[in-house]
Structures are given as C-alpha cells and as structure tokens.
Amino acid sequence: MAELRPSGAPGPAAPPAPGPAAPPAFASLFPPGLHAIYGECRRLYPDQPNPLQVTAIVKYWLGGPDPLDYVSMYRNVGSPSANIPEHWHYISFGLSDLYGDNRVHEFTGTDGPSGFGFELTFRLKRETGESAPPTWPAELMQGLARYVFQSENTFCSGDHVSWHSPLDNSESRIQHMLLTEDPQLQPVQTPFGVVTFLQIVGVCTEELHSAQQWNGQGILELLRTVPIAGGPWLITDMRRGETIFEIDPHLQERVDKGIETDGSNLSGVSAKCAWDDLSRPPEDDEDSRSICIGTQPRRLSGKDTEQIRETLRRGLEINSKPVLPPINPQRQNGLTHDRTPSRKDSLESESSTAIIPHELIRTRQLESVHLKFNQESGALIPLCLRGRLLHGRHFTYKSITGDMAITFVSTGVEGAFATEEHPYAAHGPWLQILLTEEFVEKMLEDLEDLTSPEEFKLPKEYSWPEKKLKVSILPDVVFDSPLH
C-alpha cells in the first residue's frame, strides 16, 4: 500500500549528505544513499526540488509488501526540435542501498554495486491537459522490484519482461517491457557503491517476440528511429496502436536479417517447466523425478543456483566463444563470492567469476528423458534451437515453480557436462541436453506447429524414440499443482 505526497526532498541548496556530525533527524530523513540519488535528480530537474512521490506506507524492511521506498515523478519538457515529446519521468528508490546499515541490502563496499546496483526509471508520454502524473507506473515498478528481491535476479540493458497485460490495465497494445540505460540520468557513486539507472520501455507483443528471437538492443535501436514508438529517449505512449513493423514494414526485414546473421542473444528464461528421468524406476531414491514429484523435492544448492545464473550471463556475452561456467571447485584471483555478481559486471569483465559448489554432487548420465513445458515456454523451443543451438550456443530454462533447470547445449559449447557420448546428464536437479546439429534440424521440422500454438490443443506430445527423448506441452495448471 502506498500514498501520494510531495517528496520533501532537499532543494538545490540543501546541505551535503549526512556525516558523523549531521543532526540525527537529518540523518534519519536523508540517509546517504538516498541523498546521493536525489543529487542526480536535482542536477536534471533543478526547478523541481519537491516532486510528487509515491511512498510505501509500511517500508519493506518493516514487513511491508513494497520493496521500493519511494517513486519520484518529474515533469520533463522533452525537446520538440529533436522529436522528443513532453512526458512524465518516474525514478525509483530502493533497489540500491539507501541506508547502508544492512536493513535491506548487505553492504559490500564502495567499489561494487550498491544493493542490486540499479534503480528503475520510466518515461510516459504526457497527455494533453494532464496536470499530474498517473500513479500506475509506480505500481508497475514495484512489481518489477518484487521480482528482483524475490528471485535475486538483476536486470541489465537489453533485457525483456513478458508481462502479458496492458501496463496500465487498459485495452492498450503495450503489454510487455524492454530495459535500457536511461538517456539522461548518469551513474551515481554513493557511499555504498555505484547506482545506474535502467529505463523501462513499453512494447507490443510483436516487438517482444522480435527481441526474443533476435536481441533486445537491436529492437531498442529500431524503436529509437520511430518517434511515435519511443523516439531517441524511448518514451512510452500507451495510446500507440501500431507496432513498429506496421508503421514501417521495412523494419521486419532488418530483424529477419539480424536473426539469420546473429542468432538470438536470449540465453535463458524463467519458465514453467519440469523434467523426468525415464531411465530409472520412480521408487529409486536417486531418481531425478524427485525434483518435481513428491512433497519434498530435491533442491538446487545455492552455488548450483549461482552457476545457472552465471550460465545465463555467459550467454549474453557477445563475440565470445560459448562457455558454460565450471562445476569443479576453483578460485579466481584468490576470492570466492557468496553473492552472484550483477549481469552487467560479468558483461564488462573478461572472465566471469568461477562457481564453487557447496558440495560435490555426482553428475549422472541418463538414457532417456521427458521434458515438460507450459505453452508459453514451449513456444520458445524453436527459438532455443534455431536462434541459439544452430549458432553454437546454449539456452537455459530455470523453473519458477520448482527448484530445477534445463539447459540445452550445442556441440560447440565448452564446459558442459553433457557430451555427444552421453547427451543427457544431470547434476542434481540441473539437466543438460546436448543436441547435434542434425538432430536440431529434425526437431525444428517436427516442432513447426509450436510457432503457432493457438492452432493446437493441450496437452501436446512430441517423441523421438530413437533418441529416447520426449517433450510435452502441458496446461499451466499442471505446473501450479503442489506436485510440481
């Protein structure tokens, strides 16, 4: 629950961030992390020292439901000469470390990211006659923040969010999101680390699918070239009724060429999925079916979870040979990391942090497996095969309803525990499946109807007996049951 009020933020002449000698009341009202972000806002909006603000009544660290303490809302005049319309600019406070006292985020030093390392922003086109900013974007940002806090997955520029509903709960075609760097807000060095600003960009379903099949950055660049679809600052217009491909049909040709040339840089998704080991009877204590059947499923260890996240980050690295992070215990630069580094950090480094399991888990080779996906996840299998594996890459499904994961790998990926000799291998509840190019082509032929999922009824089953592989597309309710 939140309330709308003026922020009461310090104006341009406000005193510096509170230090040891600061009055206790001031230190309480304006903790250093908050004050540092306010400083960047004041630089951009010196004439709006006290913007309207949506405030969490009960703070997250006091048991409230909203992770963001505040969302400030500014009026931006845009730049008519540059085709940038007037709009509302929303800025979050809470994904970064505002307080530095471990009440929300663990303080890890000033050199790394503050909290999750970023705050969210959103630019919404101002409607004619609109005197105050709509508040629904604040709840949208809270929803994204809840995902980050609950999953501990961070966002980076080029990421996409499948929302499947108009962002403002209207009849709008803008039902999904891409993320990019905010065009005006600069990274901030706070006493608790660095904060960057990631802007939410509303997109249509067709634009989301193109971002999945190709890459988010490519679609963002196309959106920048179409003023009505975002323009240079990627301003969301909830009244936009046409996709960029309907506005300019030539843009589809650019996407198709990009997919053919580059493949997809979508390395994985959170999904409703599960897998069964058909090689063993279900009563076997070592059966991997315990990950999705029974009341006490086997869980991924913390380090296995980090390794899967690292797998996703590796897949985003451009122009590098696909490599899965190692399972064998290693140390890099003499350090181990308890917390997964941000995806942006891994993109900027030459090598990602080695993953060190809490325990050595025996890798098992499986003879026969059964993969299960809901309709939305299943529709991404052709993308996984054509856009990733045929380009020598890998793709991971991480379950959102159970503690397990499925990674498809091609023969060109290094570091996989699945091999051509043993193409199905499990490390605890993490399954890897190695597919040869010949088998990928065969699967693409057989799975062609997945590109038009509305044309078939669930459940749907595909089987390759000679490969001892079965894939089922099942209703959502199957994965929502306690047995999964």
Side-chain angles (χ1 to χ4, degrees):
M1 188 173 181
E3 64 177 351
L4 179 66
R5 63 172 179 79
S7 66
F26 184 85
S28 175
L29 285 173
F30 302 107
L34 183 66
H35 193 269
I37 300 174
Y38 271 144
E40 177 63 9
C41 295
R42 291 197 301 274
R43 179 193 66 79
L44 188 58
Y45 298 106
D47 58 336
Q48 300 179 61
N50 299 299
L52 283 176
Q53 197 171 65
V54 175
T55 302
I57 296 177
V58 180
K59 298 295 185 282
Y60 194 69
W61 37 274
L62 293 175
D66 299 323
L68 301 176
D69 284 10
Y70 314 100
V71 175
S72 289
M73 302 176 287
Y74 294 89
R75 184 168 177 169
N76 191 305
V77 297
S79 177
S81 62
N83 249 338
I84 299 171
E86 189 171 355
H87 59 278
W88 304 110
H89 193 191
Y90 300 77
I91 302 170
S92 77
F93 296 81
L95 284 161
S96 64
D97 192 350
L98 304 179
Y99 305 97
D101 57 6
N102 296 321
R103 72 178 73 179
V104 180
H105 301 281
E106 180 183 355
F107 176 62
T108 56
T110 59
D111 295 334
S114 169
F116 288 107
F118 68 96
E119 293 290 352
L120 293 170
T121 74
F122 182 62
R123 294 174 185 267
L124 177 67
K125 183 181 178 182
R126 178 177 170 267
E127 300 296 338
T128 302
E130 205 168 46
S131 59
T135 57
W136 63 262
E139 181 52 39
L140 182 74
M141 296 165 88
Q142 290 284 13
L144 292 178
R146 290 186 199 102
Y147 165 78
V148 171
F149 272 84
Q150 291 167 9
S151 69
E152 295 187 353
N153 292 326
T154 59
F155 292 127
C156 69
S157 181
D159 279 354
H160 73 270
V161 179
S162 303
W163 200 250
H164 300 290
S165 177
L167 304 188
D168 61 351
N169 294 316
S170 68
E171 300 298 318
S172 174
R173 292 185 70 178
I174 308 300
Q175 301 188 9
H176 308 280
M177 293 166 270
L178 297 178
L179 290 154
T180 188
E181 294 93 350
D182 190 282
Q184 289 186 294
L185 291 169
Q186 301 299 313
V188 174
Q189 177 67 59
T190 80
F192 315 127
V194 178
V195 181
T196 59
F197 297 91
L198 284 180
Q199 180 176 315
I200 300 164
V201 182
V203 296
C204 302
T205 299
E206 295 84 351
E207 294 155 358
L208 172 82
H209 289 166
S210 293
Q212 292 175 328
Q213 293 164 13
W214 183 25
N215 62 72
Q217 296 290 6
I219 299 304
L220 288 165
E221 286 304 316
L222 296 184
L223 289 167
R224 289 187 177 99
T225 68
V226 182
I228 193 175
W233 289 4
L234 294 171
I235 297 164
T236 299
D237 181 0
M238 293 303 297
R239 295 194 178 188
R240 174 161 68 98
E242 294 180 301
T243 71
I244 56 174
F245 309 114
E246 293 166 340
I247 297 170
D248 183 354
H250 292 98
L251 296 181
Q252 185 62 59
E253 298 175 8
R254 293 177 60 180
V255 173
D256 293 341
K257 184 177 180 180
I259 294 172
E260 181 180 352
T261 303
D262 306 329
S264 172
N265 78 341
L266 179 65
S267 60
V269 292
S270 296
K272 291 185 176 180
C273 60
W275 63 271
D276 287 350
D277 176 7
L278 301 182
S279 313
R280 297 172 180 269
E283 65 272 10
D284 192 320
D285 290 339
E286 293 297 313
D287 188 0
S288 70
R289 273 177 281 191
S290 63
I291 64 172
C292 60
I293 296 180
T295 58
Q296 297 294 329
R298 182 185 305 166
R299 297 187 60 81
L300 289 164
S301 71
K303 289 300 180 181
D304 272 332
T305 299
E306 289 183 17
Q307 186 178 358
I308 291 169
R309 290 179 185 152
E310 185 74 3
T311 299
L312 302 186
R313 289 193 295 274
R314 290 269 189 165
L316 290 174
E317 295 177 359
I318 307 301
N319 299 324
S320 62
K321 189 171 183 180
V323 179
L324 284 169
I327 280 183
N328 294 331
Q330 296 182 18
R331 284 179 176 262
Q332 183 172 345
N333 301 328
L335 299 175
T336 61
H337 295 263
D338 291 328
R339 183 174 177 220
T340 307
S342 72
R343 291 167 64 172
K344 192 170 181 65
D345 288 340
S346 70
L347 290 173
E348 295 172 345
S349 61
E350 293 183 0
S351 60
S352 299
T353 304
I355 301 302
I356 303 173
H358 285 304
E359 56 183 349
L360 294 177
I361 301 175
R362 180 170 59 90
T363 299
R364 296 186 295 111
Q365 284 78 42
L366 315 180
E367 293 182 7
S368 178
V369 294
H370 181 192
L371 310 181
K372 303 174 183 179
F373 303 93
N374 74 336
Q375 187 168 345
E376 181 183 2
S377 302
L380 290 175
I381 296 177
L383 160 67
C384 159
L385 300 177
R386 182 178 291 110
R388 297 292 298 176
L389 269 65
L390 287 183
H391 289 263
R393 300 171 186 166
H394 52 81
F395 190 91
T396 295
Y397 287 94
K398 173 70 172 66
S399 174
I400 59 175
T401 58
D403 209 39
M404 55 79 64
I406 302 167
T407 296
F408 292 89
V409 298
S410 67
T411 53
V413 175
E414 294 183 352
F417 47 82
T419 65
E420 289 191 62
E421 184 180 1
H422 300 289
Y424 313 134
H427 187 255
W430 183 9
L431 174 69
Q432 286 187 9
I433 297 180
L434 187 145
L435 302 176
T436 64
E437 183 175 339
E438 180 182 5
F439 189 25
V440 168
E441 296 285 6
K442 170 64 174 171
M443 290 182 69
L444 282 170
E445 292 179 13
D446 297 341
L447 298 172
E448 186 175 359
D449 57 347
L450 281 179
T451 59
S452 303
E454 66 279 358
E455 296 179 4
F456 65 83
K457 295 182 179 181
L458 300 180
K460 181 80 172 181
E461 185 171 295
Y462 306 86
S463 182
W464 297 270
E466 72 283 3
K467 297 292 186 180
K468 298 183 179 181
L469 176 65
K470 184 164 64 173
V471 173
S472 294
I473 311 300
L474 305 170
D476 280 4
V477 65
V478 173
F479 300 91
D480 295 335
S481 70
L483 295 181
H484 282 77

